[in-house]
Amino acid sequence: MKNKNFLYITFILISIITFSCKNQDLTTTATIKYGTSFGMCVDYCQREILLNGSKATFAKSKNGNNPDTKTCTKELDEVTLTALRKSIDMNAISNLPDVIGCPDCADGGSEYVEITSNGKTKKVVFEYGKTPPSLIDLVSKLKPVFQSFNDCK
């Protein structure tokens, strides 16, 4: 029991130290991933966007043995990049559990946000359409970028 508590407290302290600033130089160094997945679909069931610097890379793939992955890239304008970076609150994100609810249960789908900064990665997976309150601002800015790739072939 003591070891469990020690590990838990150590994890919390490391998280606090690692993510102690809201936007600790996330302006240029962070990579942001946002994606959706549906386990029981026929077409392109998994979609993901990766934002690295000013470059956005979109990938979509099918379920099964032949994923037939398609990718597209584009440069993002500075206004969009600034809005995205300002909406990252690493304190709030680091305090979220890795999985919220029951993502993709009964094929309800799942969404996720993943932030990598300063060599640390935090990924939060949640039920499709049920964005956690502390991610609403970020996800609302990611979705238009994500949807701008709807014509990716």
Side-chain angles (χ1 to χ4, degrees):
M1 185 69 156
K2 288 182 182 181
N3 280 345
K4 253 185 167 178
N5 288 337
F6 175 76
L7 290 174
Y8 181 71
I9 291 169
T10 302
F11 173 75
I12 290 172
L13 289 174
I14 290 171
S15 296
I16 290 169
I17 291 167
T18 301
F19 301 114
S20 62
C21 296
K22 178 178 178 181
N23 293 322
Q24 183 180 11
D25 197 25
L26 296 175
T27 55
T28 57
T29 61
T31 59
I32 305 168
K33 285 185 184 178
Y34 169 75
T36 61
S37 178
F38 293 88
M40 301 287 290
C41 84
V42 241
D43 201 21
Y44 288 92
C45 306
Q46 297 161 4
R47 297 167 183 261
E48 175 182 89
I49 189 167
L50 168 65
L51 306 175
N52 191 358
S54 63
K55 183 178 170 184
T57 303
F58 176 82
K60 63 182 181 178
S61 58
K62 295 179 179 181
N63 287 336
N65 294 334
N66 185 15
D68 188 28
T69 303
K70 309 283 186 198
T71 59
C72 297
T73 61
K74 65 172 80 170
E75 292 290 319
L76 296 179
D77 62 85
E78 196 57 42
V79 172
T80 301
L81 289 169
T82 300
L84 282 165
R85 291 177 182 138
K86 283 184 177 180
S87 65
I88 297 172
D89 183 342
M90 286 308 294
N91 285 332
I93 293 169
S94 66
N95 288 327
L96 291 172
D98 295 340
V99 178
I100 299 172
C102 189
D104 210 16
C105 290
D107 199 35
S110 68
E111 294 180 67
Y112 72 89
V113 171
E114 180 179 302
I115 309 290
T116 301
S117 180
N118 300 321
K120 306 290 182 194
T121 300
K122 175 63 178 179
K123 181 176 183 178
V124 179
V125 183
F126 50 94
E127 296 175 41
Y128 184 83
K130 295 184 179 178
T131 307
S134 56
L135 291 177
I136 288 174
D137 189 35
L138 177 59
V139 170
S140 70
K141 289 176 177 58
L142 286 166
K143 282 187 177 184
V145 177
F146 188 75
Q147 291 165 346
S148 73
F149 285 96
N150 282 345
D151 60 350
C152 179
K153 301 200 185 304

